[in-house]
Amino acid sequence: MTKLTSKPILKKASGILAQEFAIPKDIAWAWVTLLLSQEEQKRDSEEKRYARIAEFEAWIAELNLPTDPKNPTSGAVSPESVKNSARNVFEWPHEYIFEEPAAAKHPDSKVTYADTITKPILDAIKDAGGSDDRPALIAILEGYAKEGKEPFANVTSEGIEWKGSNWAEGDKLNLLTIKTLNNRLANLRKKGLI
């Protein structure tokens, strides 16, 4: 089974999520499209796909987020505010979906990743002796955070807060939990990094 790899569709979906305001149905469509692009294409019926979009759309509508002041009747909301609400509930399709890690050109050259959290996760797996035991990895990552290693900010009761690649003072931090770690490990496995 192949993954959804149509670049124009993925670009359109990521474009919607990058806008300042978009209507919940479009955000839900983009979200489902990007999440499905990360999964093996199971021959999901259109019905199932639409049900998933409707489920996300209903959830977004229930958030009662402020609408676009320039166009209040459109019902458009900020994808960024949806993303912030989503971080502890659903997986949000991350920007790294579109950026493959750069292949190392020479054994000594540094590999760079599209996001700041990939390297610490790979380091934690190394420190855990190659194990992908979630609680053990979270404990190691919490240790990194307490040592003040980048990109970590704090350890909270909800998870480990970390700074994205374009983070600036005052920006909202990302949250790493067992659930989001699970999703990231699955993506790293698909990319052949672990």
Side-chain angles (χ1 to χ4, degrees):
M1 302 282 177
T2 55
K3 287 183 201 167
L4 173 66
T5 52
S6 163
K7 282 278 191 292
I9 289 177
L10 297 182
K11 283 269 178 277
K12 180 180 175 190
S14 63
I16 288 170
L17 298 183
Q19 287 172 9
E20 195 180 349
F21 289 98
I23 61 169
K25 191 175 181 73
D26 289 350
I27 296 173
W29 172 82
W31 195 349
V32 170
T33 298
L34 293 180
L35 289 177
L36 288 177
S37 78
Q38 288 301 92
E39 295 171 6
E40 295 298 322
Q41 288 293 80
K42 304 171 201 64
R43 297 266 176 240
D44 267 355
S45 65
E46 283 295 293
E47 205 174 289
K48 226 170 170 180
R49 184 182 164 82
Y50 287 125
R52 207 163 163 193
I53 292 171
E55 177 198 341
F56 281 128
E57 185 187 0
W59 179 75
I60 293 166
E62 279 167 22
L63 291 173
N64 293 323
L65 297 169
T67 52
D68 182 354
K70 294 187 201 88
N71 191 358
T73 55
S74 73
V77 296
S78 154
E80 188 61 32
S81 59
V82 175
K83 176 181 184 174
N84 292 334
S85 305
R87 33 185 230 159
N88 298 323
V89 185
F90 296 110
E91 181 189 3
W92 180 263
H94 296 283
E95 293 66 29
Y96 67 79
I97 286 173
F98 307 99
E99 300 175 55
E100 291 298 314
K105 289 162 190 59
H106 181 274
D108 297 336
S109 67
K110 281 209 178 307
V111 179
T112 54
Y113 299 100
D115 67 352
T116 55
I117 194 77
T118 300
K119 186 173 181 334
I121 290 174
L122 293 173
D123 290 347
I125 292 169
K126 228 180 267 165
D127 289 352
S131 160
D132 64 357
D133 174 52
R134 312 298 184 270
L137 291 178
I138 286 281
I140 291 168
L141 291 163
E142 282 178 354
Y144 293 169
K146 286 172 184 155
E147 287 165 23
K149 277 193 182 170
E150 285 297 322
F152 300 109
N154 326 297
V155 177
T156 69
S157 57
E158 291 177 338
I160 307 167
E161 294 183 325
W162 58 278
K163 303 168 199 161
S165 44
N166 302 327
W167 186 84
E169 204 56 54
D171 285 0
K172 204 157 174 94
L173 295 159
N174 295 310
L175 191 68
L176 186 69
T177 62
I178 288 260
K179 186 174 177 184
T180 58
L181 176 63
N182 207 13
N183 294 327
R184 286 181 174 277
L185 290 171
N187 283 317
L188 293 174
R189 212 168 278 119
K190 279 177 189 160
K191 289 181 174 176
L193 292 171
I194 53 173

